[in-house]
Amino acid sequence: MRVLLIEDEPVLGQAVQEQVAADGHAVDWVARLDEADAALRAVDYGLVLLDLHLPDGRGLDLLKTLRRGGDQRPVIILTARDQISDRIEGLNAGADDYLVKPFDLNELSARVMAVSRRYAGNPNPLISSGKLKIDKAARRVWRGEEAIDLTKREWAILDLLTRRATAVISKEQMEEALYDFGSEIESNTVEVHISRLRKKLGRDAIHTVRGVGYRLGSD
Ligand code: CA
């Protein structure tokens, strides 16, 4: 999925960006609220990581504005240890979870996955589709008894397809989830990844819905 990171501390921001990208997500990193606002208007993010103290204002105000406008996308707030009142206010303002700095990067990964699974309405990390068994928490997939190795991009596509089992995901949604502002998109890349995934997972693992997109399963 595509993640927006709003954080003005350079060292922490870079560490978080690298961790989330290593988990196979596309990450846009901004350090100011006005940049965050512009990014949120331009891209349909799957999840937002929000620092609360930013150079041009409070992250909580952004969160409140989003929720007042009916925006339900998952938001995890990043707070300092001594700011308990911020955390309470953040949760009351509609944050889905929080992490206290300094946090373990693997805990960040786990919370990002748990929050996005809950948002998709499927908190269970184990998914079956035909002969496939997918463990989203462990990021592993089996075809029958055989464990299959996927690249980061292939995993990101499978992750998207398994967020809502019956949902059709368009090529544009896949591109948006796969590529952040810093990446070049080649026109046939999604098709290439889908074709490789079908070779690994079986031809009927991913169904093409003509003119619309792709979904898991054969019919
Ligand atoms: Ca800050």
Side-chain angles (χ1 to χ4, degrees):
M1 70 183 153
R2 184 90 166 253
V3 174
L4 179 62
L5 166 63
I6 310 167
E7 170 62 67
D8 63 318
E9 289 168 41
V11 174
L12 178 64
Q14 184 164 1
V16 169
Q17 184 184 39
E18 285 171 6
Q19 177 78 12
V20 177
D23 289 339
H25 307 297
V27 189
D28 296 318
W29 173 21
V30 299
R32 299 173 51 88
L33 285 178
D34 52 4
E35 294 167 342
D37 203 48
L40 284 163
R41 284 172 206 276
V43 175
D44 183 21
Y45 288 99
L47 185 134
V48 177
L49 296 168
L50 177 63
D51 177 35
L52 295 183
H53 295 265
L54 294 155
D56 57 340
R58 296 185 346 136
L60 275 173
D61 292 332
L62 176 77
L63 176 60
K64 286 176 183 170
T65 305
L66 285 178
R67 294 298 187 243
R68 266 202 302 271
D71 191 321
Q72 296 300 314
R73 81 186 88 206
V75 174
I76 299 176
I77 54 177
L78 313 175
T79 76
R81 186 166 297 283
D82 57 352
Q83 292 160 347
I84 296 168
S85 60
D86 278 358
R87 296 201 302 266
I88 295 168
E89 200 184 342
L91 291 169
N92 285 337
D96 297 89
D97 204 347
Y98 65 84
L99 281 157
V100 176
K101 299 174 188 176
F103 45 79
D104 183 278
L105 290 170
N106 291 319
E107 184 179 2
L108 166 76
S109 294
R111 284 185 190 267
V112 164
M113 280 191 286
V115 166
S116 60
R117 282 198 308 268
R118 280 206 302 273
Y119 178 66
N122 185 10
N124 186 349
L126 298 173
I127 290 168
S128 294
S129 171
K131 288 182 183 149
L132 297 182
K133 281 200 291 282
I134 302 159
D135 182 342
K136 298 188 72 165
R139 300 165 58 79
R140 301 193 63 192
V141 55
W142 295 266
R143 181 182 179 187
E145 298 299 310
E146 185 194 358
I148 309 288
D149 283 326
L150 299 184
T151 65
K152 262 195 304 190
R153 298 269 195 232
E154 289 162 359
W155 179 263
I157 287 179
L158 190 63
D159 183 53
L160 208 59
L161 287 168
T162 51
R163 292 190 84 191
R164 293 178 201 268
T166 56
V168 178
I169 310 290
S170 72
K171 187 183 160 202
E172 290 71 29
Q173 284 174 302
M174 287 189 180
E175 286 175 345
E176 197 166 84
L178 286 175
Y179 299 98
D180 45 48
F181 289 138
S183 309
E184 296 281 327
I185 302 175
E186 288 167 33
S187 59
N188 64 344
T189 314
V190 165
E191 286 90 340
V192 170
H193 287 311
I194 292 279
S195 152
R196 289 191 190 135
L197 267 173
R198 281 181 173 142
K199 279 200 188 106
K200 291 183 178 182
L201 304 178
R203 288 223 61 80
D204 57 354
I206 299 169
H207 179 64
T208 302
V209 182
R210 195 164 299 165
V212 186
Y214 305 94
R215 70 174 166 71
L216 217 52
S218 57
D219 46 32

